[in-house]
């Protein structure tokens, strides 16, 4: 089935990743024309867990187990792949390009939650580790200015990070007694902070002042990213 999708910033192309190895013997990464619905390129890198376009639409990154691959999104050609340098056992689970397209961040299924890599050239180099989550990282996003990251995890927390130092700046509290919260759309005045289920999606507001998170506890929460 289709495991992940991404839309180019100009809205003209869609990238889709699949994990059909067990049923078909291969897995596809495909780029589609949004206007016509036609297939533009098909690559077969392996089972794809996450995919993201660079803002300029010229590059695409895909995750395949412990490997990330940078593609030329205009030709379908592979630009670079990195995997041998990883020293952790967990597979890669989520990926995002920085707004300037110079870096990517990848989440892991281990407590060494994420890695920031410089991908400005074909010789990718790791910038820093982001350590703090205790469960699989299901989602991750850069702030509009690229200075912050927000992540959500199986450990039920939302975290905000400094992208220049890798420092954890803020984390949501673990939900008290794992009870449901009546505050569905804003955590600003909620007496019991935090999600009680796996955090499945996160995003920054366009001005970077708010973060929104969605969870398996059926709640959506809005957080003040400045405090």
């Amino acid at each position: 089935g289709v495991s992940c999708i991404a839309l180019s910033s100009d809205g003209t192309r869609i990238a889709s990743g699949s994990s059909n190895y067990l049923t078909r013997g291969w897995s596809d990464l495909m780029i589609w024309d949004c206007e016509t619905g036609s297939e533009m390129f098909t690559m077969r890198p392996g089972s794809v867990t996450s995919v993201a376009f660079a803002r300029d639409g010229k590059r695409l990154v895909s995750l395949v187990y412990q490997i990330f691959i940078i593609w030329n999104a205009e030709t379908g050609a592979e630009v670079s792949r990195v995997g041998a340098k990883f020293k952790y056992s967990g597979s890669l689970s989520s990926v995002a390009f920085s707004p300037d397209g110079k870096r990517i961040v990848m989440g892991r299924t281990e407590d060494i939650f994420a890695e920031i890599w410089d991908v400005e050239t074909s010789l990718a180099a790791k910038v820093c580790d982001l350590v703090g989550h205790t469960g699989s990282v299901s989602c991750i996003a850069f702030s509009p200015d690229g200075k912050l990251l927000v992540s959500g995890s199986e450990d039920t927390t939302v975290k905000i990070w400094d992208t220049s130092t890798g420092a954890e700046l803020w984390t949501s509290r673990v939900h008290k007694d794992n009870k449901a919260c009546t505050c569905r759309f804003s955590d600003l005045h909620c007496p019991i902070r935090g999600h009680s289920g796996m955090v499945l999606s996160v995003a920054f507001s366009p001005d970077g002042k708010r973060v929104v998170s969605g969870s398996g506890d059926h709640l959506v929460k809005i957080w003040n990213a400045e405090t």
Side-chain angles (χ1 to χ4, degrees), residues 3-4 29 47-52 61-64 92-96:
S3 55
C4 52
L29 174 63
S47 185
V48 182
T49 56
S50 187
V51 63
V61 59
S62 64
L63 302 185
V64 181
L92 298 168
S93 58
S94 53
V95 68

Side-chain angles (χ1 to χ4, degrees), residues 34-202:
C34 286
E35 186 174 351
T36 64
S38 61
E39 175 188 329
M40 299 175 66
F41 308 108
T42 297
M43 299 80 87
R44 290 181 175 169
S47 185
V48 182
T49 56
S50 187
V51 63
F53 276 101
R55 180 173 287 183
D56 63 9
K58 295 180 179 180
R59 289 176 299 159
L60 184 74
V61 59
S62 64
L63 302 185
V64 181
Y65 187 51
Q66 289 196 328
I67 297 170
F68 74 83
I69 306 172
I70 305 291
W71 306 86
N72 184 322
E74 298 177 321
T75 66
E78 182 178 316
V79 176
S80 63
R81 78 168 53 201
V82 177
K85 297 178 183 178
F86 294 135
K87 62 181 179 180
Y88 306 106
S89 58
S91 61
L92 298 168
S93 58
S94 53
V95 68
F97 259 106
S98 63
D100 62 8
K102 295 180 179 179
R103 294 167 295 167
I104 60 170
V105 63
M106 301 174 293
R108 284 193 166 278
T109 57
E110 297 291 334
D111 59 357
I112 182 70
F113 133 74
E115 300 171 358
I116 299 177
W117 285 72
D118 184 325
V119 293
E120 191 171 7
T121 71
S122 59
L123 299 176
K126 186 160 71 171
V127 176
C128 64
D129 291 328
L130 306 178
V131 182
H133 280 298
T134 58
S136 174
V137 178
S138 51
C139 46
I140 192 165
F142 276 95
S143 62
D145 62 7
K147 294 180 179 180
L148 300 176
L149 278 166
V150 61
S151 60
S153 171
E154 185 182 24
D155 65 15
T156 75
T157 66
V158 177
K159 292 181 183 290
I160 294 177
W161 311 80
D162 184 317
T163 59
S164 63
T165 65
E168 180 184 319
L169 302 178
W170 175 86
T171 186
S172 61
R173 299 175 187 172
V174 176
H175 206 286
K176 186 184 295 182
D177 300 325
N178 203 34
K179 293 180 180 179
C181 177
T182 58
C183 184
R184 286 189 175 270
F185 296 104
S186 175
D187 201 67
L188 300 180
H189 304 290
C190 182
I192 307 176
R193 302 189 69 183
H195 285 292
S196 61
M198 181 177 180
V199 181
L200 300 171
S201 56
V202 291

Side-chain angles (χ1 to χ4, degrees), residues 198-219:
M198 181 177 180
V199 181
L200 300 171
S201 56
V202 291
F204 272 96
S205 61
D207 62 6
K209 295 181 179 180
R210 295 285 186 270
V211 165
V212 64
S213 59
S215 168
D217 61 10
H218 308 293
L219 302 181

